[in-house]
Structure formats: C-alpha cells, structure tokens
Amino acid sequence: MNFEEVLTVNVKIESAIDLKNDNGDSVVMISFTGDVKSKYFEGQVLPGGIDTQIIGKSGDRHTLSARYMLEGKDYTGETCKMFIENNGHMNKNLQGVLFRTYPKIITDSKALDFMNHDILIGEGFPAEDGVKIVIYRAI
C-alpha cells in the first residue's frame, strides 16, 4: 500500500490547561490555531481547536484526541470547510516522529470528497512554535 500526502497542518500552540494526578491518569488540554498548505487545500485553523491528551501515571500510555475546523479553498478555488478529528498516541520508538494518528475528515468540498471516505494516517513532527501534522491517504 502506498500513501499520498494530502494535508500539512502547521499547529501553533496558544495555551494549555493541565490536571496532574499523582494517583492515576493526568490530562492536558491544548488550544491551538494554525494554517494548512497542500496541493489540495489551503486555509486556516478556525478558533476552537483543542487537543486533549491523557497521560498514564507511569508515562507508558499517552493518547491524544484533537478536534478542529479548517476554512479555506480547495484546489479548484472553491471556498470550503473541513472538520478534523485526529485520534492517536505518542510513540517513543518512532524515529523523528512524535506521534501517529488516525484522522477522520468531514468536508463540504465536492473536489475533496475523497477525504470523507479514504483511509487516512497522520504523523506529528516537532516545529518551532508547535507541531506539524502531515495527513496521508492510502492509495
């Protein structure tokens, strides 16, 4: 199976709220903005993007669940929106990659309708003021 890059989301972290729990799981909620550039879509992360991370007491488990909306133009020049739900986990064994995710995309773009149905994989990479998330589709 081959993969094609469909979106690159440049996440800029705004703030974080955390709950430290010495007796169990801890939680951090990260609000963010950002932009997207790709051959298929260019636009902005709309206000309200949030990433909720749950970290196990011993640090062996670290999940993330981000939800955000994008607004911009598809490759045909049509204005559109996308909703992304990006669930995954941190993996210390990956080389140069912070985490892998399994995104679900909902878009109103006719040209990008394939994103509503295709198998998608995401990877997070360190960036200067946040993270870069690259989303691929199986082809």
Side-chain angles (χ1 to χ4, degrees):
M1 185 178 303
N2 293 318
F3 290 90
E4 173 192 28
E5 182 178 326
V6 293
L7 293 175
T8 298
V9 183
N10 299 300
V11 172
K12 293 179 178 61
I13 295 171
E14 288 189 320
S15 64
I17 302 168
D18 62 347
L19 178 156
K20 301 267 189 222
N21 180 5
D22 294 333
N23 298 317
D25 292 347
S26 295
V27 180
V28 62
M29 294 179 70
I30 303 165
S31 62
F32 60 90
T33 62
D35 60 66
V36 178
K37 294 190 171 136
S38 74
K39 72 178 187 179
Y40 290 112
F41 175 86
E42 289 194 17
Q44 300 295 315
V45 176
L46 294 174
I50 193 84
D51 177 20
T52 303
Q53 298 183 14
I54 299 176
I55 302 115
K57 181 179 177 181
S58 63
D60 60 338
R61 187 174 32 84
H62 188 152
T63 62
L64 58 94
S65 181
R67 289 172 180 77
Y68 50 103
M69 190 86 70
L70 308 175
E71 185 172 51
K73 293 192 176 196
D74 65 25
Y75 68 92
T76 70
E78 292 295 316
T79 300
C80 64
K81 288 184 181 175
M82 277 187 212
F83 167 77
I84 299 178
E85 180 178 349
N86 216 358
N87 296 302
H89 60 276
M90 298 289 190
N91 188 333
K92 296 175 188 173
N93 297 323
L94 297 173
Q95 297 280 330
V97 177
L98 296 172
F99 54 83
R100 284 221 172 100
T101 63
Y102 309 96
K104 168 68 177 153
I105 294 178
I106 300 170
T107 182
D108 59 1
S109 166
K110 289 183 174 80
L112 301 179
D113 182 63
F114 66 89
M115 290 188 194
N116 291 319
H117 311 287
D118 284 357
I119 294 170
L120 304 171
I121 301 290
E123 291 185 321
F125 300 91
E128 191 171 308
D129 54 355
V131 295
K132 177 174 81 168
I133 300 168
V134 181
I135 298 176
Y136 308 89
R137 73 171 171 156
I139 51 173

